Amino acid sequence: MNQYYKHQIQEFYRSFLERSFDQKDIANFYVMSRDYARKNSVIREIGDFLAHPDKKDRGIVLRSITDVMPLFEAEVEDYRAGIERSFEERPRFKSLESDIIIEDIKLIFDQANIRSGSIDKNDGNFRDFLFCTIFLLSTFAIQYKDQRLNLEAIYSHSLTLQVSCESVKFDRNFVLLPILFLPNVWINCPSTIVHKHHLKRHIARRFKQGFLAAVPYELDKLHREKLISSSSFTKGEIWPLPDY
């Protein structure tokens, strides 16, 4: 590993342990780790999104979309013919899994001579990592056939990075595909569609109180400091990740 990158990843690991990082640090981590990650790994996939910011036309997520869409098309055909499928028969989309991301992170740490020990998907620092990753990816897009599929962050009881894809055969028939998933975010969220917030153009920032929250780009411009105070915002302007 390049010595500068090794030094920077060691610095990132310190902030990872201290839970002092935010989205900017996560973006740097993916950029530095991309060429040292396993082929077809999640870290390489996310690094490729950063390398191709306008639209991505290859990789793990696109392959998963390409695999699931013919199954979705068949399901729509069955539905239009009056054939109902059971839950078990419905197509399954392969999302980016937390356990695999943890494995990829540890391999990068190993290459930087870091003995990181165990990382659990329920650890606060890993949840912070995933929160930042979701908002980092939420402004990117994937090219599937003639469709530009925009990734978006949905803030509700859980935080989900998802993409909506339209049927090629039947207009106005869409499937929502979850790419990344962080559970237990808005703990007291009522379970209604009204309380699913589509957060566009948001960045994950670390606040002086220690927690992360998503801040709209236009408000982020007003608070250039890395550590900002939640008292600078009114209710409904920021979307936090609380510990649980």
Side-chain angles (χ1 to χ4, degrees), residues 85-100:
R85 296 189 180 191
S86 67
F87 178 79
E88 290 76 15
E89 294 175 314
R90 302 195 69 185
R92 296 287 183 269
F93 178 73
K94 186 177 180 182
S95 57
L96 304 181
E97 298 177 3
S98 294
D99 291 340
I100 296 175

Side-chain angles (χ1 to χ4, degrees), residues 119-130:
I119 301 173
D120 188 88
K121 63 183 178 182
N122 294 316
D123 290 344
N125 50 7
F126 179 71
R127 286 174 56 80
D128 288 352
F129 186 97
L130 208 55

Side-chain angles (χ1 to χ4, degrees), residues 1 4-33 43 101-102 104-106 108-110 112 114 116 119 124-133 136 206 212 226:
M1 177 178 283
Y4 172 70
Y5 278 15
K6 181 183 291 187
H7 171 71
Q8 289 296 103
I9 288 173
Q10 289 171 350
E11 289 294 302
F12 171 76
Y13 180 65
R14 185 176 296 111
S15 70
F16 181 78
L17 292 179
E18 296 171 351
R19 295 180 68 184
S20 59
F21 62 90
D22 66 7
Q23 183 174 317
K24 180 184 69 175
D25 304 299
I26 292 295
N28 289 337
F29 173 79
Y30 282 120
V31 168
M32 291 184 293
S33 302
I43 283 186
I101 296 173
I102 289 172
D104 288 343
I105 292 171
K106 287 176 64 63
I108 296 299
F109 286 162
D110 287 345
I114 298 167
S116 57
I119 301 173
N125 50 7
F126 179 71
R127 286 174 56 80
D128 288 352
F129 186 97
L130 208 55
F131 186 83
C132 291
T133 298
L136 175 65
R206 181 75 63 178
L212 283 169
K226 182 179 179 183

Side-chain angles (χ1 to χ4, degrees), residues 45-91:
E45 170 81 352
I46 296 172
D48 286 346
F49 271 107
L50 293 168
H52 306 282
D54 291 327
K55 58 184 177 182
K56 198 164 180 289
D57 60 3
R58 64 195 66 186
I60 299 172
V61 175
L62 180 59
R63 286 197 299 272
S64 296
I65 293 171
T66 303
D67 288 345
V68 81
M69 284 308 292
L71 304 176
F72 170 68
E73 302 281 7
E75 183 181 27
V76 174
E77 284 190 281
D78 285 352
Y79 177 78
R80 292 168 68 92
I83 303 170
E84 292 191 15
R85 296 189 180 191
S86 67
F87 178 79
E88 290 76 15
E89 294 175 314
R90 302 195 69 185

